[in-house]
Amino acid sequence: MTKLTLVRGDITRRRVDAIVNAANSSLLGGGGVDGAIHRAGGPEILAECRALRASHHGGGLPTGRAVATTAGRLPARWVIHTVGPVYREDGGDPELLASCYRESLRVADGLGARTVAFPAISTGVYRWPMDDAARIAVETVRGARTAVEEVVFVLFDERAYEAFARQVG
């Protein structure tokens, strides 16, 4: 069974095998977690993302999918980029959000990663309600078939931490 750990802080400082990036579909950087990872990791991450766009993902990475690149200057070995769904007034597709976690763990398994750090995917500018996002994240990771030994949810603020803590129990 995968161990779940919660920490408050900056995901770009985590010493893990893989850091998950809540990316946008362009894979070319953005705001929030995505921008922080690109800034801290340096140009190597962007160069590999551009190469992915030029080859397999010319139209961008689809929502719920995941791909890996180098971690550049980050203290991790890899960055796993996943595109979360946008929550709209009429709701969102929880299966797409769950897919972000499952696909990221599948990519981590392919890399041989044993420790993976996740942010609270889709809860920033994509507006997914924090309590629901935490429930989906924790249930999905707990139910995933993976060789990853530890998942660290790295939560930026106290509100996110508390929402995830209620789900982890």
Side-chain angles (χ1 to χ4, degrees), residues 66-128:
V67 295
T69 65
T70 181
R73 297 187 299 243
L74 296 170
R77 293 182 64 190
W78 302 285
V79 173
I80 299 171
H81 307 267
T82 190
V83 179
V86 174
Y87 192 86
R88 303 189 191 288
E89 286 184 30
D90 60 348
D93 184 349
E95 180 50 37
L96 280 176
L97 184 54
S99 180
C100 292
Y101 291 94
R102 274 195 309 275
E103 285 292 303
S104 294
L105 290 171
R106 181 188 61 76
V107 169
D109 284 340
L111 296 168
R114 294 294 172 252
T115 55
V116 177
F118 279 99
I121 297 169
S122 286
T123 61
V125 296
Y126 287 6
R127 299 181 311 277
W128 203 283

Side-chain angles (χ1 to χ4, degrees), residues 5-65:
T5 304
L6 305 178
V7 297
R8 272 199 60 202
D10 180 349
I11 199 167
T12 67
R13 297 178 185 267
R14 299 306 305 176
R15 292 192 178 281
V16 292
D17 294 329
I19 290 173
V20 176
N21 179 19
N24 63 51
S25 64
S26 78
L27 296 176
L28 301 179
V33 171
D34 193 18
I37 286 172
H38 276 270
R39 282 189 303 277
E44 299 87 355
I45 297 172
L46 182 58
E48 282 195 32
C49 286
R50 284 188 172 134
L52 286 168
R53 286 295 306 267
S55 60
H56 305 319
H57 300 289
L61 185 65
T63 302
R65 298 281 306 278

Side-chain angles (χ1 to χ4, degrees), residues 104-162:
S104 294
L105 290 171
R106 181 188 61 76
V107 169
D109 284 340
L111 296 168
R114 294 294 172 252
T115 55
V116 177
F118 279 99
I121 297 169
S122 286
T123 61
V125 296
Y126 287 6
R127 299 181 311 277
W128 203 283
M130 187 62 72
D131 287 330
D132 193 45
R135 179 189 59 77
I136 292 166
V138 171
E139 286 177 2
T140 302
V141 169
R142 280 189 171 147
R145 291 182 172 205
T146 181
V148 171
E149 295 167 2
E150 182 180 17
V151 165
V152 181
F153 289 108
V154 182
L155 306 156
F156 187 71
D157 60 23
E158 192 62 30
R159 182 177 70 90
Y161 184 91
E162 289 173 4

